[in-house]
Amino acid sequence: MSNTPPAEIKFRAQNQLGELFAALDSGTGREVRRMLSTLTPQSIAQLLESSPPRIRQVLWKLIDKEVEGEVLQELTDEVQSQILATMDTEEMVAVMEGLDADDIADILQQLPERVMAEVLSAMSETDRLRVESVLAHDEETAGGLMDTDTISVRPNLTLDVVLRYLRRHEQLPESTDSLFVVNRKGQYIGLLPLSKLLTTDPSVTVREVMNTDVEPIPADMSDTEVARLFTKYDWITAPVVDENGRLLGRITIDDVVDVIRGDADHSLMSLAGLEEEGDTFAPVRRTARRRALWLGINLLTALLASWVISLFQGTLDKVVALAVLMPIVASMGGVAGSQTLTVVIRGMALGQIGRSNLSWLLSRELGSAVLNALLWSLVMGLIAGLWFGDNRIALIIIAAMVINLVTAAFAGAILPVALRAMRIDPALAGGVALTTVTDVVGFMSFLGLATWYFG
């Protein structure tokens, strides 16, 4: 394994990109082709994704045909779609030749149905059947992730027979660490680790050494749950079965890493109220259109908060200090709520939060919020009293901060659960909803108490 630091790897990638851009600017396509031929498919994919659309198309044309398929499967969905849009059916079939069925299915799902059908019909019958077996399942399930390229054996065979059977293969499927053991009906019954196969007496039968502890994955299980199982049990491969227990294929760790990375990208983009943008260099119109929706929603919530403030215009005119301190109450509530929201969404993503323990978590968050509210409201009250020389303002901001921080913690714990029940992604909508609650409650409590106190 390489000991090269991540920072150095990033520096090399940027340096390579700079050299390629310089070569393109000088018009030396032959030099660019030579440089690309020295890179791995993963590195080429990274360079493509790091390039503006115009340069990306030029680079793609200079890639060796032998590695186009491997490069294509490493690209994000959006960049894949852009590249595929420049190809005809024959070119697509040629690019996908030699790829695993699950990788081909992932690529085909970026195409319109008409084009997908044309590509499938142009494939060989064997390849078409393999790919169609994956396409029959939802993309975000175990069936959509699986690769149908598996090696299975019967339990009554001796290890010597299995070894001779394996030697007849030119190569084993990638990431093969175990063989799948099935009965006469093709139903999965266990795993035969290659380590056992190679180190055990050849006269022993498969049944005697196979591992029956690994449960198969149902084809309809969500990809997120599959990733959780791989992480929990440190699997490299796992069998996928239908509702009758028949072996359909296998899921490998490289596919699971893609799921984990996709979920992480989704969570990161959702923090800003964005959908996943697979292409950092997407055109202006497309980028603006994607972001417009959540900016519009945020504007509506801001108008709601402003309307609440307008209800207390008379009080603000009397006591100017309130306008200075008002943002502090909303801001502290927003931070407290975001902390709880993040903890709950993470717990839900990891499968750690359910009805049985939600009440305990809610009590914990409320308790923590009360302690922090008392601490920081007293600090802020002391600052406000010294700043404006008015103990009444100090008492008002203390009370308002306690109310808003406790409300924010409650909302941060409940909102993800409520949004999930309404089939709304908490990671995407939770932040906007929480901001609305903390702003409205913060302004209402602070200005409402001030109005009541100052008459």
Side-chain angles (χ1 to χ4, degrees):
M1 181 178 294
S2 173
N3 292 321
T4 306
E8 186 175 337
I9 294 174
K10 289 181 180 179
F11 174 78
R12 288 179 182 176
Q14 289 300 315
N15 194 38
Q16 289 168 342
L17 188 61
E19 291 175 358
L20 283 171
F21 285 2
L24 284 173
D25 289 338
S26 63
T28 54
R30 182 178 300 176
E31 177 63 17
V32 175
R33 189 186 298 274
R34 185 196 65 76
M35 293 170 65
L36 289 173
S37 67
T38 64
L39 303 177
T40 64
Q42 293 79 9
S43 297
I44 296 174
Q46 183 181 8
L47 290 174
L48 286 172
E49 291 175 356
S50 303
S51 305
R54 180 183 62 82
I55 295 178
R56 183 179 294 157
Q57 295 298 333
V58 175
L59 290 177
W60 176 259
K61 293 177 182 178
L62 297 175
I63 296 172
D64 290 341
K65 296 295 182 183
E66 291 77 10
V67 299
E68 281 185 344
E70 295 178 71
V71 173
L72 190 65
Q73 73 178 16
E74 296 292 337
L75 297 172
T76 59
D77 292 348
E78 187 166 339
V79 179
Q80 273 185 5
S81 298
Q82 293 175 18
I83 299 296
L84 291 170
T86 65
M87 300 182 190
D88 58 29
T89 302
E90 291 183 0
E91 289 175 323
M92 291 182 192
V93 173
V95 165
M96 297 178 202
E97 187 175 353
L99 297 182
D100 293 337
D102 57 327
D103 292 325
I104 296 175
D106 289 340
I107 295 172
L108 288 179
Q109 285 167 340
Q110 311 307 317
L111 302 173
E113 290 188 11
R114 179 185 60 80
V115 179
M116 185 192 299
E118 291 177 1
V119 174
L120 285 171
S121 63
M123 289 181 176
S124 65
E125 183 177 359
T126 302
D127 288 342
R128 183 172 66 254
L129 291 175
R130 289 172 56 232
V131 174
E132 286 178 342
S133 67
V134 177
L135 290 173
H137 302 276
D138 187 275
E139 184 180 4
E140 297 183 350
T141 63
L145 279 179
M146 72 178 181
D147 181 11
T148 57
D149 190 8
T150 62
I151 297 180
S152 57
V153 295
R154 297 282 176 80
N156 59 327
L157 298 177
T158 64
L159 300 187
D160 181 54
V161 172
V162 174
L163 285 168
R164 282 188 277 127
Y165 168 65
L166 291 181
R167 291 191 187 102
R168 291 166 53 189
H169 292 73
E170 293 184 3
Q171 60 182 17
L172 298 180
E174 291 185 11
S175 302
T176 297
D177 66 329
S178 301
L179 308 181
F180 300 117
V181 185
V182 297
N183 60 21
R184 292 185 179 277
K185 295 181 180 180
Q187 295 171 318
Y188 167 82
I189 56 177
L191 292 177
L192 175 59
L194 290 184
S195 57
K196 286 280 189 183
L197 176 62
L198 296 173
T199 59
T200 307
D201 185 345
S203 63
V204 173
T205 63
V206 171
R207 190 186 306 278
E208 295 177 78
V209 295
M210 70 179 186
N211 182 0
T212 58
D213 295 335
V214 178
E215 293 292 328
I217 297 175
D220 58 357
M221 178 181 286
S222 71
D223 57 1
T224 302
E225 183 63 27
V226 170
R228 190 176 299 130
L229 290 176
F230 267 75
T231 303
K232 182 178 181 180
Y233 296 111
D234 294 327
W235 289 340
I236 295 177
T237 60
V240 179
V241 298
D242 64 13
E243 62 275 9
N244 297 315
R246 286 193 295 267
L247 181 67
L248 297 177
R250 65 182 184 128
I251 294 175
T252 55
I253 186 62
D254 59 315
D255 297 313
V256 174
V257 169
D258 290 340
V259 173
I260 295 172
R261 185 175 63 181
D263 288 345
D265 288 344
H266 171 75
S267 298
L268 178 63
M269 300 302 287
S270 296
L271 291 175
L274 298 173
E275 295 184 2
E276 293 149 274
E277 294 189 56
D279 185 6
T280 304
F281 298 93
V284 172
R285 288 186 180 181
R286 188 183 306 164
T287 302
R289 185 170 62 249
R290 286 174 170 172
R291 299 181 184 183
L293 173 62
W294 285 102
L295 285 172
I297 293 174
N298 188 70
L299 177 60
L300 291 176
T301 62
L303 287 172
L304 176 61
S306 298
W307 175 75
V308 170
I309 295 173
S310 71
L311 297 176
F312 304 96
Q313 187 66 47
T315 305
L316 287 170
D317 290 339
K318 289 181 185 178
V319 187
V320 180
L322 298 176
V324 177
L325 298 174
M326 183 172 60
I328 297 174
V329 179
S331 176
M332 290 295 288
V335 172
S338 295
Q339 291 172 339
T340 301
L341 184 76
T342 302
V343 169
V344 174
I345 290 177
R346 177 181 179 274
M348 293 172 66
L350 295 175
Q352 297 173 345
I353 296 178
R355 293 182 179 180
S356 60
N357 56 14
L358 180 61
S359 59
W360 186 94
L361 183 64
L362 180 59
S363 299
R364 195 278 302 270
E365 290 299 322
L366 288 176
S368 176
V370 168
L371 292 177
N372 274 305
L374 291 174
L375 170 63
W376 295 110
S377 64
L378 289 173
V379 171
M380 190 59 225
L382 179 62
I383 293 173
L386 294 173
W387 190 353
F388 296 101
D390 191 336
N391 291 333
R392 295 175 299 174
I393 291 179
L395 292 174
I396 289 170
I397 197 169
I398 288 173
M401 283 184 63
V402 170
I403 292 171
N404 201 28
L405 263 69
V406 173
T407 302
F410 179 80
I414 293 299
L415 277 174
V417 180
L419 290 171
R420 176 69 62 85
M422 293 186 287
R423 298 182 182 276
I424 300 174
D425 185 357
L428 188 60
V432 176
L434 179 65
T435 299
T436 304
V437 172
T438 55
D439 283 356
V440 170
V441 172
F443 295 143
M444 184 73 74
S445 59
F446 184 56
L447 297 177
L449 287 170
T451 301
W452 170 75
Y453 200 86
F454 288 104

